[in-house]
Amino acid sequence: MTSSLTGAPASTRSYKDYSRPLWQRVLLTREGAVYAALIIVIVGATVSVRNFGSPITMTYLLLDVTPILLIALPMTLVIITGEIDLSVASVVGLSSVTLGTLHQAGLPIEAAGAVAIVVGALAGALNGFLITVVGLPSLAVTIGTLALYRGLAVGLLGTTAVTDFTEFWTDLAKSKIGSTGVPSVMILFVILLVVFAIVLHFTPFGRGIFAIGLSPEAARFSGIHVERTKFILFVLSGTISAVAGIFYTLRFGSARGDNATGLELSVIAAVLLGGVSIFGGRGALHGVIAGVLLIGVLGSALRLANVTSDVINIITGTLLVASVVSTSVLAWLRTARARPGGTNRAPSATTKS
Amino acid sequence: MLFQKNSGRVGAFAALAVTVALVATGCAAGDDGGDGGGGGDSGNLAITFLPKNLGNAYFDTSDKGGETAIEEFGGTYAEVGPSEASPDAQVSYINTLTQQGVGGIVVSANDPTAICDALNEARDNGVKVVTFDSDTDVECRDIFINQATSEGIAKIQVDLIAEQIGDEGEIAILSATANATNQNAWIDLMKEDLAANHPNITLVDTVYGDDDDQTSFDKTAALLQTHPNLKGIISPTTVGIAAAARYLQTSEFKGTVALTGLGTPNQMRDYVEDGTVTAFALWNPADLGYLAAYAAKALIEGDITGEVGDEFSAGELGDFTVEEDGTVLLGDPYTFDADNIGEFDF
């Protein structure tokens, strides 16, 4: 990879390096690497894993990753501001239980779902309040609410589950668009993706999100409403998690307090794999989507190849660590190359101070 | 914000790449579609065990029983499962098995309803589904292998305590939580059995250890303080019996107060070997897996369909009959004592 850069004038380094051809600019980004890995895994699995290349694989795969895809949208924005929301999976559980108990109590599912979304928004607002008004670190706050919301969810329903949902809704959650094999829920996801992508990448609000992640002080001095922006993002995170909770409940036809336990880690892993910096200020939604799909495809292919779940965890974990390490290495290489005298030979350690 | 201006173009390219990737999966689908369902063959004896989770000694034992059976009749054994006992992870595995076109799935359900649709989709594709240990809703599987009936579980515990205390004296029960459905059902049946068949045994107290080791330990101590004439304790929960045994082992009551109930061999081994506990009961998970494998075979080969009265043969366990709701009863619970405990590891 570095050899292809030989000769590139790189006395200065910026994100907008138009001196390189388009394919280099795209492929040599963090997101480009995830796409390449995704395509390699898809092609590799189709060729080598029996039954992977069947239409049903894509349906199952997309249904499995839908909650992760949904929650990854607001999570990306939250992490770009340099914050984190660990309570999302607990909000999924809480909204699932809200939906279940209210439906069991006789409320029509539409109304119960609306209340569940409100509960999710309130859960997000509590996070946002503690972080922006009280001024506590989001890591500490959402570790707390992770336990709090899960506790509420499990406490409300105990170890029982509500399962008497009307078939119309449970079927809808699993339905496919015509004969394409693509789950209908993808329509909802694509709409949300477009909205989030426009907000993040094409509006002043989105630019504010990046600015906050790079430097909250500088952002504040530039007139960006740092606290208000963060508050909105946490409310969004809670709301979308509740939507994911409703989908989760209907897909499995089972409202349980322990639904989606541990999902927050899958979401954060996918977001980081997709090139969002955990320190904030850097990232893009398309990379995150590729990150989610990469983990999903890999898991599905490995399961089809009869690889045990422990090994799957080891492989996806290693991938994540490698992706984080490679970012640091790439960043170091760029810095090294950008220094005078470090122009051509990328790993010239002599230039490193 | 240099970064922002660039992202439009990158975004467009990315959208294209996603499309390509998605189309790639879709297209490959078309090319390879005929390869998918290997399940059409009536003799497809590829049977996969899907426990609640992997790395669980109980399921290791039951699945090993299944493997033994499958080797006996010449099928293909496999075991897959999630590392955590969650229904959504099980659904992914069921979907995978459907795609692989296995002949049968033997599953212990993490949720009676959540895995239903996935199982029914598997059945629509010709996969036979046997549940064991933990059932799903009746309409989601072909057969449930029931480890023991409530009556059987209650009776064996009463029989064991009666035998150990000479069929007379005061006994108490150390249960799990006060609102545990299965525990309470067993306790009621034990009371009926005691009243009907053991008039000289008096049940003086029922206490609850909340399935917590320390609480059960403390409740055992309190029980023995409160009832100095106590001759025996029944603990129909694995946590409770182990905690009670630990208390008895180091107390003056060792050897004078009998303890029995439901426990696992690994937990109880020390107490059986040093004489604190004479005998306790549970089903034999290896037999459970063995029977489930034979039921799957009978379903795959069309010998049975899961109708009431269907009969099939399960190797060395003998012949079994399908009962109401498609259940097959393994039999009476298994009694573990000093003579046989060495044969088990779960």
Short mmCIF file of all heavy atoms in Angstrom, two decimals, chain A residues 15 26 35 46 51 53-57 60 64 163 174 201 207 210 248 251-254 256 283 286 303-304 306 309-310 313, chain B residues 3-4 6 10 13-14 17-18 21 28-29 32 35-36 80-83 88 91-93 95-96 99-100 110-111 113-114 117 121:
data_model
loop_
_atom_site.label_atom_id
_atom_site.label_comp_id
_atom_site.label_asym_id
_atom_site.label_seq_id
_atom_site.Cartn_x
_atom_site.Cartn_y
_atom_site.Cartn_z
N TYR A 15 -6.98 16.16 4.72
CA TYR A 15 -7.99 15.20 4.33
C TYR A 15 -8.28 15.30 2.85
O TYR A 15 -8.67 14.35 2.21
CB TYR A 15 -9.27 15.45 5.12
CG TYR A 15 -9.18 14.99 6.54
CD1 TYR A 15 -9.13 15.91 7.57
CD2 TYR A 15 -9.11 13.64 6.85
CE1 TYR A 15 -9.04 15.49 8.88
CE2 TYR A 15 -9.02 13.23 8.16
CZ TYR A 15 -8.98 14.16 9.17
OH TYR A 15 -8.90 13.75 10.45
N VAL A 26 -10.11 7.07 -2.23
CA VAL A 26 -11.20 6.31 -1.64
C VAL A 26 -10.68 5.07 -0.91
O VAL A 26 -10.99 4.82 0.24
CB VAL A 26 -12.22 5.92 -2.72
CG1 VAL A 26 -13.24 4.95 -2.13
CG2 VAL A 26 -12.91 7.16 -3.25
N TYR A 35 -14.58 -1.39 3.33
CA TYR A 35 -15.29 -1.88 2.14
C TYR A 35 -14.53 -3.01 1.48
O TYR A 35 -15.11 -4.03 1.10
CB TYR A 35 -15.47 -0.76 1.11
CG TYR A 35 -16.54 0.19 1.50
CD1 TYR A 35 -16.27 1.53 1.69
CD2 TYR A 35 -17.84 -0.26 1.71
CE1 TYR A 35 -17.25 2.41 2.08
CE2 TYR A 35 -18.83 0.60 2.10
CZ TYR A 35 -18.53 1.94 2.28
OH TYR A 35 -19.50 2.78 2.68
N THR A 46 -18.72 -16.66 -0.37
CA THR A 46 -19.57 -17.21 -1.43
C THR A 46 -18.88 -18.36 -2.13
O THR A 46 -19.50 -19.37 -2.46
CB THR A 46 -19.93 -16.11 -2.45
OG1 THR A 46 -20.39 -14.97 -1.74
CG2 THR A 46 -20.99 -16.56 -3.41
N ASN A 51 -23.50 -23.12 1.05
CA ASN A 51 -24.78 -22.55 1.45
C ASN A 51 -24.74 -21.06 1.73
O ASN A 51 -25.76 -20.45 2.02
CB ASN A 51 -25.37 -23.24 2.69
CG ASN A 51 -25.64 -24.70 2.45
OD1 ASN A 51 -26.19 -25.07 1.43
ND2 ASN A 51 -25.23 -25.53 3.38
N GLY A 53 -23.94 -18.68 -0.36
CA GLY A 53 -24.48 -17.95 -1.50
C GLY A 53 -25.91 -18.31 -1.82
O GLY A 53 -26.27 -18.53 -2.96
N SER A 54 -26.76 -18.41 -0.79
CA SER A 54 -28.17 -18.66 -1.06
C SER A 54 -28.94 -17.40 -0.70
O SER A 54 -28.52 -16.64 0.16
CB SER A 54 -28.66 -19.87 -0.25
OG SER A 54 -28.48 -19.64 1.11
N PRO A 55 -30.08 -17.18 -1.38
CA PRO A 55 -30.80 -15.91 -1.17
C PRO A 55 -31.14 -15.68 0.29
O PRO A 55 -31.10 -14.57 0.79
CB PRO A 55 -32.08 -16.09 -1.98
CG PRO A 55 -31.94 -17.34 -2.76
CD PRO A 55 -30.79 -18.11 -2.24
N ILE A 56 -31.45 -16.77 0.97
CA ILE A 56 -31.93 -16.67 2.34
C ILE A 56 -30.84 -16.11 3.26
O ILE A 56 -31.12 -15.49 4.26
CB ILE A 56 -32.42 -18.07 2.80
CG1 ILE A 56 -33.41 -17.94 3.94
CG2 ILE A 56 -31.30 -18.99 3.10
CD1 ILE A 56 -34.79 -17.60 3.48
N THR A 57 -29.57 -16.32 2.87
CA THR A 57 -28.47 -15.83 3.71
C THR A 57 -28.59 -14.33 3.93
O THR A 57 -28.46 -13.84 5.06
CB THR A 57 -27.11 -16.14 3.05
OG1 THR A 57 -27.02 -17.54 2.85
CG2 THR A 57 -25.96 -15.69 3.93
N TYR A 60 -31.58 -13.44 6.34
CA TYR A 60 -31.25 -13.71 7.75
C TYR A 60 -30.23 -12.71 8.26
O TYR A 60 -30.33 -12.19 9.36
CB TYR A 60 -30.70 -15.12 7.91
CG TYR A 60 -31.73 -16.21 7.77
CD1 TYR A 60 -31.38 -17.46 7.29
CD2 TYR A 60 -33.06 -15.99 8.14
CE1 TYR A 60 -32.32 -18.48 7.16
CE2 TYR A 60 -34.00 -16.99 8.02
CZ TYR A 60 -33.62 -18.24 7.53
OH TYR A 60 -34.55 -19.24 7.42
N ASP A 64 -30.72 -10.09 11.25
CA ASP A 64 -29.88 -10.19 12.44
C ASP A 64 -29.21 -8.87 12.77
O ASP A 64 -29.06 -8.52 13.94
CB ASP A 64 -28.79 -11.26 12.25
CG ASP A 64 -29.33 -12.67 12.45
OD1 ASP A 64 -30.48 -12.78 12.91
OD2 ASP A 64 -28.61 -13.63 12.16
N THR A 163 -45.77 -12.82 25.01
CA THR A 163 -45.59 -13.39 23.67
C THR A 163 -46.83 -13.30 22.80
O THR A 163 -46.79 -13.70 21.65
CB THR A 163 -45.18 -14.88 23.77
OG1 THR A 163 -46.17 -15.55 24.54
CG2 THR A 163 -43.84 -15.04 24.44
N LYS A 174 -40.82 -9.46 10.06
CA LYS A 174 -39.96 -10.41 9.34
C LYS A 174 -40.20 -10.40 7.84
O LYS A 174 -39.53 -11.12 7.10
CB LYS A 174 -40.20 -11.83 9.87
CG LYS A 174 -39.70 -12.04 11.27
CD LYS A 174 -39.95 -13.46 11.71
CE LYS A 174 -41.42 -13.79 11.78
NZ LYS A 174 -42.00 -13.66 13.11
N HIS A 201 -23.65 14.96 7.63
CA HIS A 201 -22.65 15.35 6.64
C HIS A 201 -23.00 16.60 5.85
O HIS A 201 -22.16 17.12 5.14
CB HIS A 201 -22.41 14.19 5.68
CG HIS A 201 -21.80 12.99 6.34
ND1 HIS A 201 -20.57 13.02 6.97
CD2 HIS A 201 -22.26 11.73 6.49
CE1 HIS A 201 -20.30 11.82 7.48
NE2 HIS A 201 -21.31 11.02 7.20
N ARG A 207 -21.92 19.60 11.15
CA ARG A 207 -20.56 20.13 11.25
C ARG A 207 -20.24 20.45 12.70
O ARG A 207 -19.13 20.26 13.16
CB ARG A 207 -20.42 21.38 10.38
CG ARG A 207 -20.27 21.04 8.91
CD ARG A 207 -19.86 22.25 8.11
NE ARG A 207 -20.94 23.23 7.94
CZ ARG A 207 -21.91 23.08 7.02
NH1 ARG A 207 -21.91 22.03 6.23
NH2 ARG A 207 -22.84 23.98 6.91
N PHE A 210 -18.97 17.32 14.49
CA PHE A 210 -17.55 17.06 14.27
C PHE A 210 -16.70 18.05 15.06
O PHE A 210 -15.69 17.69 15.68
CB PHE A 210 -17.20 17.17 12.78
CG PHE A 210 -17.58 15.96 11.99
CD1 PHE A 210 -18.72 15.94 11.21
CD2 PHE A 210 -16.79 14.81 12.05
CE1 PHE A 210 -19.08 14.81 10.50
CE2 PHE A 210 -17.14 13.68 11.32
CZ PHE A 210 -18.30 13.68 10.55
N TYR A 248 -37.06 -5.63 17.59
CA TYR A 248 -36.50 -6.83 18.22
C TYR A 248 -37.62 -7.69 18.84
O TYR A 248 -37.69 -8.90 18.63
CB TYR A 248 -35.53 -6.38 19.31
CG TYR A 248 -34.55 -7.41 19.79
CD1 TYR A 248 -33.23 -7.38 19.36
CD2 TYR A 248 -34.93 -8.40 20.69
CE1 TYR A 248 -32.32 -8.31 19.80
CE2 TYR A 248 -34.03 -9.33 21.14
CZ TYR A 248 -32.72 -9.28 20.69
OH TYR A 248 -31.83 -10.22 21.14
N ARG A 251 -39.84 -9.13 16.05
CA ARG A 251 -39.16 -10.14 15.24
C ARG A 251 -39.15 -11.48 15.96
O ARG A 251 -39.37 -12.52 15.36
CB ARG A 251 -37.73 -9.71 14.93
CG ARG A 251 -37.12 -10.67 13.93
CD ARG A 251 -35.65 -10.79 13.97
NE ARG A 251 -35.25 -11.99 13.28
CZ ARG A 251 -34.02 -12.44 13.24
NH1 ARG A 251 -33.07 -11.77 13.81
NH2 ARG A 251 -33.75 -13.56 12.61
N PHE A 252 -38.84 -11.44 17.27
CA PHE A 252 -38.80 -12.69 18.01
C PHE A 252 -40.14 -13.02 18.66
O PHE A 252 -40.29 -14.05 19.30
CB PHE A 252 -37.70 -12.65 19.07
CG PHE A 252 -36.32 -12.57 18.47
CD1 PHE A 252 -35.53 -11.47 18.65
CD2 PHE A 252 -35.84 -13.62 17.70
CE1 PHE A 252 -34.26 -11.40 18.10
CE2 PHE A 252 -34.58 -13.55 17.13
CZ PHE A 252 -33.78 -12.45 17.33
N GLY A 253 -41.11 -12.12 18.52
CA GLY A 253 -42.43 -12.34 19.11
C GLY A 253 -42.37 -12.55 20.61
O GLY A 253 -43.16 -13.29 21.18
N SER A 254 -41.43 -11.89 21.26
CA SER A 254 -41.23 -12.15 22.67
C SER A 254 -40.66 -10.91 23.36
O SER A 254 -39.57 -10.47 23.03
CB SER A 254 -40.26 -13.34 22.81
OG SER A 254 -39.98 -13.60 24.15
N ARG A 256 -39.04 -9.50 26.46
CA ARG A 256 -38.33 -9.98 27.65
C ARG A 256 -37.45 -8.88 28.19
O ARG A 256 -36.93 -8.07 27.44
CB ARG A 256 -37.44 -11.18 27.30
CG ARG A 256 -38.16 -12.43 26.83
CD ARG A 256 -37.19 -13.38 26.16
NE ARG A 256 -36.07 -13.72 27.00
CZ ARG A 256 -35.98 -14.88 27.66
NH1 ARG A 256 -36.92 -15.76 27.57
NH2 ARG A 256 -34.93 -15.12 28.41
N GLY A 283 -15.17 10.38 11.48
CA GLY A 283 -16.02 9.24 11.19
C GLY A 283 -17.06 9.58 10.15
O GLY A 283 -17.27 10.75 9.84
N HIS A 286 -21.28 6.01 6.28
CA HIS A 286 -21.16 4.91 5.32
C HIS A 286 -20.13 3.88 5.79
O HIS A 286 -20.29 2.69 5.58
CB HIS A 286 -20.84 5.43 3.91
CG HIS A 286 -19.56 6.18 3.82
ND1 HIS A 286 -18.35 5.56 3.65
CD2 HIS A 286 -19.30 7.51 3.91
CE1 HIS A 286 -17.40 6.48 3.61
NE2 HIS A 286 -17.95 7.67 3.76
N ARG A 303 -20.49 -19.10 10.99
CA ARG A 303 -21.48 -20.04 11.54
C ARG A 303 -21.82 -21.11 10.51
O ARG A 303 -21.90 -22.29 10.83
CB ARG A 303 -22.75 -19.29 11.94
CG ARG A 303 -22.72 -18.74 13.34
CD ARG A 303 -24.13 -18.43 13.82
NE ARG A 303 -24.82 -17.53 12.93
CZ ARG A 303 -24.71 -16.21 12.98
NH1 ARG A 303 -23.94 -15.64 13.87
NH2 ARG A 303 -25.37 -15.44 12.14
N LEU A 304 -21.98 -20.68 9.25
CA LEU A 304 -22.30 -21.65 8.20
C LEU A 304 -21.16 -22.64 8.01
O LEU A 304 -21.37 -23.79 7.62
CB LEU A 304 -22.59 -20.93 6.89
CG LEU A 304 -24.04 -20.54 6.66
CD1 LEU A 304 -24.17 -19.70 5.41
CD2 LEU A 304 -24.92 -21.77 6.57
N ASN A 306 -19.59 -23.90 10.29
CA ASN A 306 -19.56 -24.67 11.53
C ASN A 306 -18.42 -24.28 12.45
O ASN A 306 -17.87 -25.12 13.16
CB ASN A 306 -19.48 -26.18 11.23
CG ASN A 306 -20.86 -26.74 10.95
OD1 ASN A 306 -21.86 -26.20 11.43
ND2 ASN A 306 -20.92 -27.79 10.17
N SER A 309 -18.96 -20.64 18.37
CA SER A 309 -19.18 -19.24 18.72
C SER A 309 -17.98 -18.63 19.42
O SER A 309 -17.70 -17.44 19.27
CB SER A 309 -20.43 -19.11 19.58
OG SER A 309 -20.32 -19.93 20.71
N ASP A 310 -17.26 -19.43 20.19
CA ASP A 310 -16.08 -18.88 20.87
C ASP A 310 -15.06 -18.42 19.85
O ASP A 310 -14.48 -17.34 19.97
CB ASP A 310 -15.44 -19.95 21.78
CG ASP A 310 -16.46 -20.58 22.69
OD1 ASP A 310 -17.55 -19.99 22.82
OD2 ASP A 310 -16.18 -21.65 23.26
N ASN A 313 -16.13 -15.27 18.20
CA ASN A 313 -15.83 -14.12 19.06
C ASN A 313 -14.36 -13.75 18.98
O ASN A 313 -14.01 -12.56 18.92
CB ASN A 313 -16.21 -14.42 20.51
CG ASN A 313 -17.70 -14.41 20.72
OD1 ASN A 313 -18.44 -13.90 19.88
ND2 ASN A 313 -18.16 -14.96 21.82
N PHE B 3 -12.83 18.33 5.82
CA PHE B 3 -13.32 16.96 5.83
C PHE B 3 -14.73 16.87 5.27
O PHE B 3 -15.06 15.96 4.52
CB PHE B 3 -13.27 16.48 7.27
CG PHE B 3 -13.62 15.04 7.43
CD1 PHE B 3 -12.93 14.08 6.71
CD2 PHE B 3 -14.63 14.66 8.27
CE1 PHE B 3 -13.25 12.76 6.86
CE2 PHE B 3 -14.95 13.34 8.42
CZ PHE B 3 -14.25 12.39 7.71
N GLN B 4 -15.54 17.84 5.62
CA GLN B 4 -16.94 17.80 5.23
C GLN B 4 -17.14 17.90 3.73
O GLN B 4 -17.95 17.20 3.16
CB GLN B 4 -17.69 18.95 5.91
CG GLN B 4 -17.71 18.82 7.41
CD GLN B 4 -18.21 17.48 7.85
OE1 GLN B 4 -19.31 17.09 7.50
NE2 GLN B 4 -17.40 16.72 8.57
N ASN B 6 -15.29 17.00 1.42
CA ASN B 6 -14.86 15.79 0.74
C ASN B 6 -15.89 14.67 0.85
O ASN B 6 -16.00 13.82 -0.02
CB ASN B 6 -13.54 15.32 1.37
CG ASN B 6 -12.82 14.33 0.50
OD1 ASN B 6 -13.18 14.19 -0.66
ND2 ASN B 6 -11.82 13.67 1.04
N VAL B 10 -17.05 10.98 -1.35
CA VAL B 10 -16.77 9.68 -0.74
C VAL B 10 -18.08 8.96 -0.44
O VAL B 10 -18.22 7.78 -0.69
CB VAL B 10 -15.95 9.86 0.57
CG1 VAL B 10 -15.72 8.52 1.23
CG2 VAL B 10 -14.63 10.54 0.26
N PHE B 13 -19.51 7.36 -3.50
CA PHE B 13 -18.79 6.15 -3.84
C PHE B 13 -19.15 5.01 -2.89
O PHE B 13 -19.35 3.87 -3.30
CB PHE B 13 -17.28 6.42 -3.79
CG PHE B 13 -16.48 5.30 -4.40
CD1 PHE B 13 -16.21 5.28 -5.75
CD2 PHE B 13 -16.03 4.27 -3.59
CE1 PHE B 13 -15.48 4.25 -6.31
CE2 PHE B 13 -15.30 3.24 -4.15
CZ PHE B 13 -15.03 3.22 -5.51
N ALA B 14 -19.28 5.42 -1.63
CA ALA B 14 -19.60 4.43 -0.61
C ALA B 14 -20.96 3.81 -0.88
O ALA B 14 -21.13 2.59 -0.81
CB ALA B 14 -19.60 5.09 0.76
N ALA B 17 -20.61 1.34 -3.40
CA ALA B 17 -19.95 0.12 -2.92
C ALA B 17 -20.92 -0.76 -2.14
O ALA B 17 -20.92 -1.98 -2.29
CB ALA B 17 -18.76 0.50 -2.04
N VAL B 18 -21.76 -0.11 -1.33
CA VAL B 18 -22.73 -0.89 -0.56
C VAL B 18 -23.67 -1.63 -1.52
O VAL B 18 -23.94 -2.81 -1.37
CB VAL B 18 -23.56 0.02 0.38
CG1 VAL B 18 -24.74 -0.75 0.96
CG2 VAL B 18 -22.69 0.54 1.51
N ALA B 21 -21.94 -4.48 -3.01
CA ALA B 21 -21.81 -5.56 -2.03
C ALA B 21 -23.13 -6.30 -1.87
O ALA B 21 -23.18 -7.53 -1.88
CB ALA B 21 -21.36 -4.99 -0.70
N ALA B 28 -25.09 -13.84 -6.15
CA ALA B 28 -24.50 -15.13 -5.83
C ALA B 28 -25.61 -16.09 -5.47
O ALA B 28 -25.59 -17.26 -5.80
CB ALA B 28 -23.55 -14.97 -4.66
N ALA B 29 -26.61 -15.50 -4.80
CA ALA B 29 -27.76 -16.28 -4.42
C ALA B 29 -28.35 -17.01 -5.62
O ALA B 29 -28.61 -18.20 -5.58
CB ALA B 29 -28.81 -15.36 -3.83
N ASP B 32 -26.25 -19.96 -7.07
CA ASP B 32 -25.91 -21.09 -6.24
C ASP B 32 -27.13 -21.70 -5.57
O ASP B 32 -27.02 -22.63 -4.80
CB ASP B 32 -24.94 -20.60 -5.16
CG ASP B 32 -23.86 -21.62 -4.89
OD1 ASP B 32 -23.75 -22.54 -5.73
OD2 ASP B 32 -23.18 -21.52 -3.88
N ASP B 35 -28.06 -25.35 -4.71
CA ASP B 35 -27.17 -26.12 -3.87
C ASP B 35 -27.65 -26.20 -2.42
O ASP B 35 -27.24 -27.05 -1.66
CB ASP B 35 -25.79 -25.46 -3.90
CG ASP B 35 -24.68 -26.44 -3.61
OD1 ASP B 35 -24.79 -27.57 -4.10
OD2 ASP B 35 -23.76 -26.08 -2.89
N GLY B 36 -28.55 -25.27 -2.11
CA GLY B 36 -28.86 -24.99 -0.71
C GLY B 36 -29.53 -26.10 0.07
O GLY B 36 -29.07 -26.44 1.15
N VAL B 80 -23.70 -27.23 17.80
CA VAL B 80 -23.42 -25.81 17.66
C VAL B 80 -24.20 -25.08 18.74
O VAL B 80 -25.12 -25.64 19.33
CB VAL B 80 -23.83 -25.24 16.28
CG1 VAL B 80 -23.05 -25.89 15.16
CG2 VAL B 80 -25.33 -25.37 16.06
N GLY B 81 -23.82 -23.84 18.99
CA GLY B 81 -24.58 -23.09 19.99
C GLY B 81 -23.90 -21.80 20.35
O GLY B 81 -22.72 -21.61 20.07
N PRO B 82 -24.66 -20.91 20.96
CA PRO B 82 -24.10 -19.62 21.36
C PRO B 82 -23.28 -19.76 22.65
O PRO B 82 -23.42 -20.75 23.36
CB PRO B 82 -25.35 -18.77 21.60
CG PRO B 82 -26.40 -19.74 22.00
CD PRO B 82 -26.08 -21.04 21.32
N SER B 83 -22.45 -18.77 22.91
CA SER B 83 -21.70 -18.84 24.16
C SER B 83 -22.52 -18.31 25.32
O SER B 83 -22.25 -18.61 26.47
CB SER B 83 -20.37 -18.09 24.03
OG SER B 83 -20.55 -16.90 23.30
N ASP B 88 -31.96 -14.88 20.90
CA ASP B 88 -31.63 -14.32 19.58
C ASP B 88 -30.42 -15.03 18.98
O ASP B 88 -30.37 -15.28 17.78
CB ASP B 88 -31.41 -12.81 19.65
CG ASP B 88 -30.52 -12.40 20.79
OD1 ASP B 88 -30.46 -13.15 21.77
OD2 ASP B 88 -29.87 -11.34 20.71
N VAL B 91 -31.56 -18.21 17.51
CA VAL B 91 -32.26 -18.04 16.23
C VAL B 91 -31.24 -18.03 15.08
O VAL B 91 -31.45 -18.69 14.06
CB VAL B 91 -33.10 -16.74 16.23
CG1 VAL B 91 -33.55 -16.38 14.83
CG2 VAL B 91 -34.30 -16.91 17.15
N SER B 92 -30.14 -17.32 15.25
CA SER B 92 -29.11 -17.29 14.21
C SER B 92 -28.64 -18.70 13.88
O SER B 92 -28.44 -19.04 12.72
CB SER B 92 -27.91 -16.47 14.66
OG SER B 92 -28.27 -15.15 14.88
N TYR B 93 -28.45 -19.50 14.92
CA TYR B 93 -27.96 -20.86 14.68
C TYR B 93 -29.03 -21.73 14.00
O TYR B 93 -28.71 -22.53 13.13
CB TYR B 93 -27.47 -21.50 15.99
CG TYR B 93 -26.08 -21.05 16.33
CD1 TYR B 93 -25.86 -20.00 17.20
CD2 TYR B 93 -24.97 -21.63 15.71
CE1 TYR B 93 -24.58 -19.55 17.48
CE2 TYR B 93 -23.70 -21.18 15.98
CZ TYR B 93 -23.50 -20.15 16.86
OH TYR B 93 -22.23 -19.71 17.11
N ASN B 95 -31.35 -20.65 11.98
CA ASN B 95 -31.36 -20.20 10.58
C ASN B 95 -30.21 -20.84 9.80
O ASN B 95 -30.38 -21.30 8.68
CB ASN B 95 -31.22 -18.68 10.51
CG ASN B 95 -32.46 -17.97 11.02
OD1 ASN B 95 -33.52 -18.58 11.12
ND2 ASN B 95 -32.33 -16.71 11.34
N THR B 96 -29.03 -20.85 10.43
CA THR B 96 -27.86 -21.44 9.78
C THR B 96 -28.10 -22.91 9.48
O THR B 96 -27.80 -23.39 8.37
CB THR B 96 -26.63 -21.28 10.68
OG1 THR B 96 -26.46 -19.90 10.97
CG2 THR B 96 -25.39 -21.81 10.00
N GLN B 99 -30.31 -23.41 6.56
CA GLN B 99 -29.57 -23.21 5.31
C GLN B 99 -28.71 -24.41 4.96
O GLN B 99 -28.53 -24.75 3.81
CB GLN B 99 -28.67 -21.98 5.43
CG GLN B 99 -29.42 -20.67 5.35
CD GLN B 99 -28.50 -19.53 5.72
OE1 GLN B 99 -28.44 -19.12 6.86
NE2 GLN B 99 -27.76 -19.03 4.76
N GLN B 100 -28.13 -25.01 6.00
CA GLN B 100 -27.24 -26.15 5.75
C GLN B 100 -28.02 -27.40 5.38
O GLN B 100 -27.44 -28.37 4.90
CB GLN B 100 -26.39 -26.43 6.99
CG GLN B 100 -25.35 -25.35 7.25
CD GLN B 100 -24.59 -25.58 8.54
OE1 GLN B 100 -25.10 -26.22 9.46
NE2 GLN B 100 -23.39 -25.06 8.62
N ASN B 110 -34.01 -21.46 24.75
CA ASN B 110 -33.77 -20.36 25.68
C ASN B 110 -35.01 -19.51 25.88
O ASN B 110 -35.07 -18.70 26.80
CB ASN B 110 -32.64 -19.47 25.17
CG ASN B 110 -31.27 -20.08 25.43
OD1 ASN B 110 -31.09 -20.77 26.44
ND2 ASN B 110 -30.33 -19.84 24.56
N ASP B 111 -35.98 -19.66 25.03
CA ASP B 111 -37.25 -18.94 25.16
C ASP B 111 -38.28 -19.77 24.41
O ASP B 111 -38.04 -20.17 23.28
CB ASP B 111 -37.13 -17.54 24.55
CG ASP B 111 -38.41 -16.72 24.70
OD1 ASP B 111 -39.46 -17.15 24.19
OD2 ASP B 111 -38.34 -15.65 25.30
N THR B 113 -41.02 -19.04 22.98
CA THR B 113 -41.67 -18.43 21.82
C THR B 113 -40.68 -17.81 20.84
O THR B 113 -40.87 -17.88 19.63
CB THR B 113 -42.66 -17.36 22.29
OG1 THR B 113 -43.51 -17.94 23.26
CG2 THR B 113 -43.49 -16.85 21.14
N ALA B 114 -39.62 -17.19 21.37
CA ALA B 114 -38.74 -16.38 20.52
C ALA B 114 -38.10 -17.18 19.40
O ALA B 114 -37.80 -16.65 18.34
CB ALA B 114 -37.66 -15.71 21.37
N ASP B 117 -40.51 -19.11 15.32
CA ASP B 117 -40.59 -18.87 13.88
C ASP B 117 -39.41 -19.49 13.16
O ASP B 117 -39.56 -20.08 12.09
CB ASP B 117 -40.64 -17.37 13.60
CG ASP B 117 -42.01 -16.81 13.93
OD1 ASP B 117 -43.00 -17.40 13.45
OD2 ASP B 117 -42.08 -15.82 14.67
N GLU B 121 -39.66 -22.33 10.35
CA GLU B 121 -39.08 -22.15 9.02
C GLU B 121 -38.19 -23.36 8.69
O GLU B 121 -38.19 -23.86 7.56
CB GLU B 121 -38.25 -20.87 9.00
CG GLU B 121 -38.27 -20.17 7.66
CD GLU B 121 -37.78 -18.75 7.76
OE1 GLU B 121 -38.02 -18.12 8.81
OE2 GLU B 121 -37.12 -18.30 6.82
#
